[in-house]
């Protein structure tokens, strides 16, 4: 078996996955591109295992571990993407910078006496319900 054929195919798969990771904005497409890159590595592992005629088949064993890790990574990744989509309404990666936590104490007005659970005269909500109210307002607007 010629080693060049699977190696060229693996390079093409890896480059396609790398382009997808760098150019895409949708989180699900980025996860699919990472899977393409992992499959290119798996193809190389199996091809070199066959070419070297390894008695222990360590390339194929490592490929099975890589497949198991990739399945776990996709499961966790999709759970995170679904949680972000439910909260934000979009899985656009560029908009994920808005999910960074900020210090809520900095955003409270100076006249607040610190009593959690009550609204001040200016109409602000307590710290626990302020993000939930913003999320409901974001869902209501088209």
């Amino acid at each position: 078996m010629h080693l060049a054929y699977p190696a060229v195919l693996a390079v093409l798969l890896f480059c396609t996955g790398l382009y997808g990771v760098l150019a895409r904005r949708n989180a699900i497409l980025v996860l699919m591109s990472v899977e393409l890159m992992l499959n290119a590595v798996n193809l190389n592992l199996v091809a070199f295992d066959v070419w070297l005629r390894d008695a222990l088949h360590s390339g194929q064993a490592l490929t099975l571990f890589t497949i198991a890790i990739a399945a776990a990574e996709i499961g966790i990744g999709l759970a995170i993407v679904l949680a972000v989509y439910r909260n934000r309404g979009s899985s656009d990666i560029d908009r994920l910078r808005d999910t960074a936590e900020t210090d809520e104490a900095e955003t409270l007005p100076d006249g607040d006496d610190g009593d959690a659970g009550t609204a001040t005269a200016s109409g602000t909500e307590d710290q626990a319900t302020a993000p939930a109210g913003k999320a409901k307002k974001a869902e209501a607007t088209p």
Side-chain angles (χ1 to χ4, degrees), residues 71-92:
E73 174 252 334
I74 285 297
I76 292 171
L78 282 177
I80 291 171
V81 167
L82 285 174
V84 168
Y85 183 77
R86 286 181 183 168
N87 287 336
R88 295 283 176 180
S90 173
S91 62
D92 189 10

Side-chain angles (χ1 to χ4, degrees), residues 42-101:
N42 289 339
L43 181 61
N44 271 334
L45 285 171
V46 171
F48 277 98
D49 182 52
V50 170
W51 185 64
L52 294 173
R53 293 183 177 90
D54 187 17
L56 296 175
H57 298 291
S58 56
Q60 293 178 18
L62 191 56
T63 299
L64 289 176
F65 284 118
T66 307
I67 290 171
I69 290 171
E73 174 252 334
I74 285 297
I76 292 171
L78 282 177
I80 291 171
V81 167
L82 285 174
V84 168
Y85 183 77
R86 286 181 183 168
N87 287 336
R88 295 283 176 180
S90 173
S91 62
D92 189 10
I93 292 177
D94 293 335
R95 294 180 62 195
L96 289 181
R97 292 185 185 145
D98 298 336
T99 61
E101 292 184 18

